Amino acid sequence: MSRGGTLRRVVLSCDVAGCPVQVEPPATEAWRNDTDARLWAREHAAGWTSDPGRQTDYCPGHATFSAVPASGDTPPRPTATVRDPSGNPLNRDEYTQRLRELLVADDMAVEQAPLLTAAQATVAARLLDELAGVYRGESLGALARELSALLDSRRRDGV
């Protein structure tokens, strides 16, 4: 119970976008403060993992996203909306690599007429710039920045 005598609810939620899995400490643990209740829930939630640095929790199905990387490696980060056929998020860095491979394959294809008008290309480039800012320092952000520059250069060249 909280100071006012009302019941409060401490819930651990999986931090992968779209994952509905949650865990709640039993009512007998309601006397704990929120920090202690969360700590207790993390210690007693079978298969759950957490990443204290990012202050995130992951259900057993998404536990790999909290794995501590080897020295020099970056931890896996889930995509916000892109899913595999089972509905699980992809690793952003692996997804970026797949997108880059798609671009390379497209560059080798026969030249086609432009798919975007100049105004559409400008809007897409600005949206990609914003995406690059959100994912600054990540491979997904670098790809967004590169695509933005590519769209801008093609727009200026009249392609």
Side-chain angles (χ1 to χ4, degrees):
M1 289 200 185
S2 67
R3 287 185 188 163
T6 58
L7 288 175
R8 64 170 171 65
R9 195 169 169 221
V10 172
V11 177
L12 287 184
S13 297
C14 182
D15 286 312
V16 170
C19 182
V21 179
Q22 295 182 334
V23 103
E24 183 175 359
T28 58
E29 298 300 321
W31 61 270
R32 297 176 185 269
N33 67 34
D34 288 353
T35 304
D36 285 344
R38 260 191 194 66
L39 181 61
W40 189 93
R42 285 181 177 128
E43 290 173 353
H44 292 84
W48 280 67
T49 59
S50 65
D51 182 341
R54 289 187 277 174
Q55 298 180 348
T56 54
D57 298 294
Y58 299 97
C59 68
H62 297 118
T64 56
F65 288 112
S66 69
V68 176
S71 178
D73 289 344
T74 55
R77 294 172 294 238
T79 53
T81 59
V82 182
R83 301 283 189 258
D84 66 14
S86 302
N88 295 313
L90 303 177
N91 179 310
R92 286 199 303 250
D93 294 326
E94 292 170 3
Y95 180 61
T96 302
Q97 183 58 36
R98 288 179 22 198
L99 291 175
R100 284 185 184 283
E101 290 167 1
L102 183 63
L103 284 175
V104 169
D106 189 55
D107 280 347
M108 290 191 259
V110 178
E111 281 292 318
Q112 298 179 20
L115 297 176
L116 298 175
T117 66
Q120 291 168 335
T122 300
V123 170
R126 296 304 69 79
L127 289 172
L128 287 166
D129 283 338
E130 184 65 22
L131 180 68
V134 170
Y135 293 108
R136 178 174 285 127
E138 292 186 30
S139 58
L140 196 57
L143 177 61
R145 180 78 64 215
E146 291 167 25
L147 284 174
S148 174
L150 179 66
L151 284 172
D152 278 339
S153 70
R154 287 192 176 176
R155 184 177 49 82
R156 278 187 298 243
D157 295 342
V159 176

